[in-house]
Amino acid sequence: MDDLTNAGAAPCRHAEPVMGTVVSFTLRHRRTPGLRAALDRAVALLHAVDQEFSPYLPESAVSRLRRGESGRADTTPAVRRVLELCDVAHSRTRGAFDIWVDGRPDPCGLVKGWAAQRAWRVLREAGGTDACVNAGGDVRVGGAPGAAGLWSTGIADPRNPGQLLTVVTGRDQAIATSGTTERGNHIIDPRTRTPATELLAATVTGPDLMWADVYATAAMVLGAREAHQWITALPGYSLLTVATTGEVRASVDFPFASSRRSSSPGG
C-alpha cells in the first residue's frame, strides 16, 4: 500500500480486487495521522463483507441462507441488517428493487454500495476529508473546501463504448450507474420476471452510495418516464437516463460539470 503519511502533493492511490470487482481509493492529503491505518481498515472491511455476503463462496452467510441452512432470524447480524435495508429499498422503489426474484435472497445489488459507503466513512472519520472510493464505477467522493476540493466523475456513454456521455462535479456526493454495457440485459423486472429493456443506462447522484446504487437499479426497471417522476420524491437524489432509442434525459438538478451539459431537462 502507498505511504499516506508522506504522500506529498500528488494524490495517493490504491486499488483493491474485492467483491468481484476492483475498488480504488484516491486520497488528496499530505500528512494526516492515522490515514494509512484507516485505509487498511477500509480494505479489511470490504474483504469481510465479501466473505459474509458473496453468493459465490459456499460458506458465506448469504450462501447458507440461500441454501436454507439458516433463516432470517438466525443468520448474522450484518445480513439481517442488509435484509432489512432491502425491505426498505423494495418499498422506496415501488417494488422495482427486489432481492427475491428467483425465490432466494440475493442482496448483491445493495451490498456493494453499502460496503463502499462504509469504507469511505472509515476514511472520513479518520480525517480523510478529501477522498474518493470507486467500487467498480460506483463512486463516493468527499472534497476539501474550495475549488481544489471538487471532484469530476466521467459517465460512460452506453451508446458509444469508450466515450463519455458527460462529466459530473461535486464536493460531497455519490454517483452510481446501472446499465447494459458490460453484462447485457441482466436486470430483471420483478413485476414481470423478464429483463428490463427500456433503458441502456441510469445514473443516480445523491448523498449516500448505497441508495444511489439501489435507485439506479430501480430506474432501469421503472423506465424513463416513471423513474424521472419517482426520483423527484427522493430529496437530494437526481437521475440521468439513456434510453434504447438514444434519448438522454436528466433531472433538472443533475450536477453536470460546467459547459458539459449534454442532455435536456426531464422529470
Side-chain angles (χ1 to χ4, degrees):
M1 242 177 229
D2 304 279
D3 183 358
L4 297 183
T5 60
N6 294 284
C12 171
R13 293 184 173 88
H14 174 74
E16 186 72 18
V18 63
M19 299 190 299
T21 187
V22 175
V23 179
S24 62
F25 298 83
T26 304
L27 300 102
R28 303 188 301 205
H29 297 82
R30 288 182 177 272
R31 295 176 179 269
T32 306
L35 202 53
R36 165 63 185 270
L39 180 53
D40 289 342
R41 293 196 302 273
V43 168
L45 180 154
L46 295 177
H47 282 284
V49 168
D50 198 20
Q51 290 293 314
E52 191 166 11
F53 286 89
S54 174
Y56 304 106
L57 297 176
E59 295 309 310
S60 74
V62 163
S63 290
R64 295 196 300 272
L65 186 67
R66 286 170 58 83
R67 291 195 299 266
E69 295 172 5
S70 64
R72 183 164 183 159
D74 59 349
T75 189
T76 66
V79 172
R80 287 199 300 272
R81 174 56 179 155
V82 163
L83 293 177
E84 291 171 357
L85 290 169
C86 289
D87 291 342
V88 175
H90 184 269
S91 176
R92 286 190 183 182
T93 62
R94 303 179 178 179
F97 184 91
D98 190 341
I99 66 170
W100 297 90
V101 172
D102 68 354
R104 300 179 299 168
D106 182 4
C108 289
L110 180 143
V111 166
K112 183 177 72 168
W114 174 73
Q117 175 75 22
R118 291 174 65 201
W120 177 84
R121 180 60 62 183
V122 167
L123 299 175
R124 184 79 168 206
E125 291 176 351
T129 56
D130 203 359
C132 169
V133 176
N134 183 335
D138 293 337
V139 179
R140 183 62 168 94
V141 299
L150 290 173
W151 292 86
S152 296
T153 304
I155 307 300
D157 189 341
R159 305 163 301 179
N160 300 292
Q163 297 186 30
L164 290 181
L165 174 65
T166 191
V167 174
V168 301
T169 59
R171 178 171 289 108
D172 189 3
Q173 66 181 6
I175 307 103
T177 298
S178 291
T180 62
T181 301
E182 295 185 2
R183 299 173 57 191
N185 293 322
H186 68 288
I187 298 174
I188 302 299
D189 184 338
R191 303 167 299 182
T192 64
R193 309 285 174 167
T194 59
T197 58
E198 181 182 332
L199 297 178
L200 293 176
T203 297
V204 172
T205 67
D208 185 277
L209 184 55
M210 182 194 77
W211 288 115
D213 198 12
V214 165
Y215 295 157
T217 300
M220 290 290 294
V221 171
L222 295 172
R225 176 184 289 273
E226 186 176 0
H228 279 281
Q229 181 274 331
W230 155 78
I231 203 77
T232 61
L234 302 172
Y237 291 88
S238 59
L239 174 66
L240 175 70
T241 56
V242 183
T244 53
T245 60
E247 179 189 14
V248 180
R249 186 175 177 183
S251 302
V252 293
D253 57 348
F254 194 83
F256 291 102
S258 179
S259 304
R260 294 297 299 269
R261 189 177 182 90
S262 64
S263 59
S264 56

